[in-house]
Amino acid sequence: LPLRETEMLELSGRHLRKLPTPVCSLSTLQKLYISGTGITELPDEIGGLQELRILALDFNKLEEVPETLCRLPHLTRLYLGSNRLFGLPAEFSQLKTLRCLWIESNYLYHFPQVLLQMPELQSLQMGDNRLKTLPSGLPLMKGLRGLWLYGNRFEEFPKPLLRMSQLHILDVDRNKLTEFPDLSHLRRLRLFSYDHNPVEAPPNVADTVFVVGEGAQEFLEAREERLQALQQQKPFFVYSPLHPHNN
């Protein structure tokens, strides 16, 4: 297969000072992996990869995301973890097809406001940054299903999360949280992880949520016993208008 017609290119682990420009002329490329190469910047020509779906740039030395990267019309997954990023450019919201963004282990002191303009984003990995608060507009991200906020600097449970009713996964491990509000109204939540916080007890969550953290095992066991007891108390015959004996 000629290189110019390839759909996937793996350059991870190679020592590159910069991305070879010819790579940016691969018009059919859909997956590009450039993890752990030591690159510090990307060429403007990367905007030429118009068919790109997946781009892995983690474990490099990038200090900013170039505007041209924001012009990739089909990009669905972008991995930017373990770089030197302090934020994202305003043009980032042009990535209308992006569904998965991993930007963990960077230098984010503030939640990038541009992400609030990306309601289709489903998975947002922001662990090991410097965040202390979340913007009140966070619920605008209606598509978000997984949010990882472990290893940040939250001292209070961020109130905008209370309005994220569509979340399935929420990870706040390794912060400085001492208490939780009632989370039982988050009916779609399936996994809540709060390990390594100074909080003394798990939060009140819906019975469908699996919790991970200090005291979680006892909490889950007690809940299981309660649910089993309720199950045993249910009458054998339940009235239903569709039940043949009720017609």
Side-chain angles (χ1 to χ4, degrees):
L1 183 69
L3 188 59
R4 65 178 181 275
E5 297 178 10
T6 189
E7 295 183 355
M8 192 272 282
L9 185 59
E10 174 66 83
L11 297 174
S12 297
R14 302 188 185 187
H15 294 289
L16 303 174
R17 291 186 177 180
K18 59 182 180 179
L19 184 65
T21 304
V23 170
C24 300
S25 61
L26 301 176
S27 59
T28 61
L29 198 62
Q30 295 186 18
K31 303 175 183 179
L32 178 57
Y33 302 95
I34 327 170
S35 305
T37 61
I39 59 173
T40 58
E41 60 183 358
L42 295 168
D44 289 342
E45 290 83 358
I46 198 167
L49 296 174
Q50 292 289 290
E51 295 299 318
L52 205 61
R53 267 69 170 171
I54 300 174
L55 178 57
L57 291 163
D58 42 339
F59 296 98
N60 283 300
K61 300 177 181 179
L62 299 174
E63 296 184 0
E64 60 182 16
V65 175
E67 178 185 340
T68 50
L69 188 148
C70 304
R71 298 177 189 159
L72 300 175
H74 302 298
L75 196 65
T76 60
R77 298 184 183 187
L78 179 57
Y79 301 100
L80 292 167
S82 299
N83 276 284
R84 300 174 179 178
L85 302 173
F86 284 85
L88 296 170
E91 296 82 6
F92 200 80
S93 61
Q94 295 174 17
L95 293 170
K96 300 298 184 186
T97 58
L98 197 65
R99 297 293 178 266
C100 175
L101 174 63
W102 286 28
I103 192 169
E104 75 282 6
S105 301
N106 276 283
Y107 301 123
L108 300 180
Y109 286 85
H110 303 285
F111 188 95
Q113 291 287 324
V114 68
L115 294 179
L116 303 182
Q117 302 172 42
M118 305 181 72
E120 302 302 320
L121 200 64
Q122 296 176 3
S123 176
L124 180 55
Q125 162 63 278
M126 303 187 75
D128 288 326
N129 275 286
R130 313 281 197 276
L131 301 174
K132 291 183 177 180
T133 61
L134 295 176
S136 60
L138 189 67
L140 292 172
M141 302 183 72
K142 297 182 182 301
L144 209 57
R145 298 293 180 267
L147 180 57
W148 288 264
L149 296 167
Y150 61 81
N152 276 280
R153 298 178 179 177
F154 296 107
E155 296 181 5
E156 296 182 2
F157 189 84
K159 290 182 178 179
L161 292 175
L162 297 175
R163 292 180 287 130
M164 298 294 286
S165 58
Q166 79 285 7
L167 278 181
H168 292 183
I169 299 171
L170 179 57
D171 186 337
V172 293
D173 287 358
R174 289 191 286 111
N175 278 282
K176 300 176 182 178
L177 302 172
T178 56
E179 60 181 351
F180 291 118
D182 191 321
L183 303 179
S184 60
H185 65 288
L186 300 179
R187 291 292 174 180
R188 296 187 181 178
L189 198 62
R190 293 295 176 266
L191 173 64
F192 181 73
S193 187
Y194 63 94
D195 219 1
H196 301 99
N197 278 282
V199 67
E200 294 181 359
N204 186 25
V205 293
D207 287 338
T208 49
V209 183
F210 186 83
V211 290
V212 179
E214 186 71 28
Q217 188 62 36
E218 294 83 354
F219 170 82
L220 290 172
E221 289 173 358
R223 182 172 75 185
E224 183 63 25
E225 289 178 7
R226 174 171 56 82
L227 291 176
Q228 286 181 2
L230 287 173
Q231 189 71 28
Q232 291 169 2
Q233 291 173 15
K234 283 185 179 179
F236 178 75
F237 177 80
V238 179
Y239 175 81
S240 166
L242 298 179
H243 198 287
H245 291 184
N246 297 329
N247 293 332

